[in-house]
DNA sequence: GCTTTGTCATCTGTTGACAGTCGTCAAGTG
DNA sequence: CACTTGACGACTGTCAACAGATGACAAAGC
């Protein structure tokens, strides 16, 4: 029993928030699925109060509310996904630019090791299992952290990546995309090692732009056919 | 009484949310100010439930919570503000790039009129009252909307701009900055009219970078001296 | 048979009350 | 006098119950 570790009796609302994020990101709650407050509250063993607070914090990110009707998991169209990738391109490009001067040599070594580990892995050579298993996320998040911009890292890590992760499992890779992505990662690291901000930003933006144009839709049109509950909210 | 307009009986939580955003942005609640739930709930004439939901939605944006202690208006350090400007540079630069091809001729005409109106106004010539009165926001938001990227516009308009607005009233302009900003706006519109994405993005990024390096702190160190309530949250 | 209208079950929005925690202040101890 | 300890007040976190709205279904009218 370590006394250096403080007792973390986190609020029920925070715990519910984490559980919900996990459930949605892992696909246990499918996009478009309706969430019944009483049902979920019972399953989590809490009352509706904390759950509502957690749902409120998720609103606009992973969940959308319709007054007097209910809450449902966000359901992004292909166009929405493209829009998110555009934001990624802008923000991660900037993060990579900053990282080129802000990352320490040790950070760069860690990043290099991450890249080497990817290169020797089965999935990359076989052209699959790179994006799917989160290795790609690790690489990107490592650079984002390296930008030393906390606001930027927080937004990408807590908001954007979560939304994208919801749809990862239903996006497949074009043939040879994994190898190309790996090569692009190498180019990025090279630019970072050279401490060249312009080249680093350009390489990252190119990488994400390529990923965007390679977006496949395993289940084309799903988002449009998912039952929309209620009417669109009046007013703005 | 127009029948085409539906009856909007918005939820109390939504109303409270809007009221809070207004109060914080307009400076009625100062940065770092503590918010008592019962007190604010009484003043708004609602119970604590909807208020808590509204506060939850504000968390991380305009407000920060400390478990068992309370809620206080965010208090950004100068470094935080710089970080937000870096994000602005990346996102608005991208927005401007997209706008260069996405904006219609009519959009461009509207933007031109907005710019002309600014140019003839007293404030710009006298070197003040440009940023302070929201004219600058109009210009930028007009371009952001012109990008036709709803996710991007939503994030900038609902999250980033609100946070920046909290601190607008305490940032003053360096001498001659207003005129320089106006000239930069002109350059941006020119690039947009030329339908040149590269130049448009570069111009916008330069403009925001200039604004960032001209950030003045009317009340240097305020954020640091504001009483921090409670201890920093354990974990995470 | 199709449309319209009335009713009902179910869910969300809201409330008020209870329990637990934190910070403060005063009393006690060395 | 400095420090620790205990109790108090105020606040937040949580809950269970009430009120209002919604969507679906069945009955009535054309």
């Amino acid at each position: 029993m370590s006394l250096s570790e403080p007792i973390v009796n986190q609020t029920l609302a925070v715990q519910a928030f984490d559980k919900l994020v996990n459930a949605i990101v892992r696909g246990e709650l499918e996009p478009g699925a309706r969430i019944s407050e009483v049902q979920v509250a019972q399953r989590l063993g809490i009352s509706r109060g904390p759950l509502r607070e957690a749902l409120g914090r998720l609103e606009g990110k992973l969940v959308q509310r319709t007054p007097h009707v209910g809450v449902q998991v966000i359901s992004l169209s292909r166009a929405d996904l493209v829009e998110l990738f555009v934001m990624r391109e802008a923000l991660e490009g900037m993060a990579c630019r900053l990282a080129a001067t802000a990352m320490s040599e040790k950070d760069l070594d860690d990043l290099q090791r991450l890249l080497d580990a990817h290169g020797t892995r089965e999935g990359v050579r076989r052209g699959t299992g790179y994006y799917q298993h989160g290795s790609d996320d690790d690489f990107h998040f490592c650079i984002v952290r390296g930008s030393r911009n906390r606001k930027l890292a927080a937004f990408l890590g807590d908001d954007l990546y979560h939304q994208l992760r919801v749809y990862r499992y239903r996006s497949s890779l074009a043939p040879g995309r994994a190898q190309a992505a790996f090569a692009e990662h190498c180019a990025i690291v090279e630019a970072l090692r050279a401490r060249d901000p312009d080249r680093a930003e350009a390489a990252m933006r190119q990488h994400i732009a390529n990923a965007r144009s390679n977006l496949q839709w395993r289940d084309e049109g799903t988002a449009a056919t998912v039952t929309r509950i209620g009417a669109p909210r009046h007013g703005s």
Side-chain angles (χ1 to χ4, degrees), chain A:
Chain A
M1 178 154 149
S2 161
L3 285 178
S4 62
E5 283 293 318
I7 300 174
V8 283
N9 192 7
Q10 268 184 332
T11 266
L12 289 185
V14 175
Q15 294 179 29
F17 180 85
D18 293 338
K19 290 255 190 188
L20 281 173
V21 170
N22 257 301
I24 294 176
V25 166
R26 300 181 60 172
E28 296 170 29
L29 292 170
E30 285 192 8
R34 241 181 105 172
I35 296 180
S36 162
E37 293 188 357
V38 284
Q39 195 175 325
V40 174
Q42 277 185 345
R43 210 195 304 177
L44 290 175
I46 61 177
S47 102
R48 282 175 55 218
L51 177 63
R52 282 178 66 85
E53 195 177 314
L55 288 174
R57 286 180 53 191
L58 280 174
E59 192 173 346
K61 298 177 184 175
L62 292 177
V63 134
Q64 60 191 109
R65 268 193 142 126
T66 320
H68 299 290
V69 173
V71 177
Q72 61 179 2
V73 181
I74 55 160
S75 151
L76 299 176
S77 67
R78 193 190 137 80
D80 292 329
L81 208 55
V82 169
E83 288 192 356
L84 290 179
F85 264 77
V86 169
M87 291 183 71
R88 256 191 87 183
E89 181 181 330
L91 289 174
E92 287 200 40
M94 175 63 80
C96 202
R97 161 179 290 273
L98 298 174
T101 57
M103 280 180 101
S104 70
E105 288 297 327
K106 182 181 173 303
D107 290 337
L108 282 172
D109 289 343
D110 290 343
L111 188 65
Q112 183 73 58
R113 262 193 295 279
L114 205 59
L115 193 62
D116 292 341
H118 293 172
T120 59
R121 208 178 273 172
E122 278 295 314
V124 179
R125 285 200 294 269
R126 294 195 14 245
T128 163
Y130 190 35
Y131 287 93
Q132 271 69 21
H133 291 85
S135 305
D136 186 66
D137 290 343
D138 291 343
F139 179 81
H140 284 264
F141 195 59
C142 192
I143 293 178
V144 167
R145 260 182 297 133
S147 73
R148 298 283 188 277
N149 187 316
R150 288 161 309 186
K151 299 273 176 192
L152 180 54
F155 174 67
L156 281 171
D158 295 341
D159 295 349
L160 242 178
Y161 286 171
H162 280 332
Q163 289 189 42
L164 291 175
R165 235 187 288 264
V166 174
Y167 281 83
R168 196 221 325 269
Y169 74 96
R170 68 171 56 196
S171 69
S172 58
L173 259 57
R177 176 63 196 143
Q179 286 92 338
F182 180 71
E184 287 159 15
H185 282 188
C186 292
I188 291 170
V189 172
E190 201 177 325
L192 289 174
R193 295 203 88 99
R195 304 291 189 185
D196 185 337
D198 289 332
R199 215 172 82 211
E201 176 171 12
M204 178 60 86
R205 283 178 67 156
Q206 187 62 55
H207 172 54
I208 297 180
N210 288 344
R212 182 179 66 228
S213 53
N214 272 282
L215 270 181
Q216 304 282 322
W217 212 240
R218 182 171 296 171
D219 207 352
E220 185 73 54
T222 300
T225 60
V226 161
T227 319
R228 274 270 168 82
I229 59 178
R233 238 175 80 194
H234 301 305
S236 55

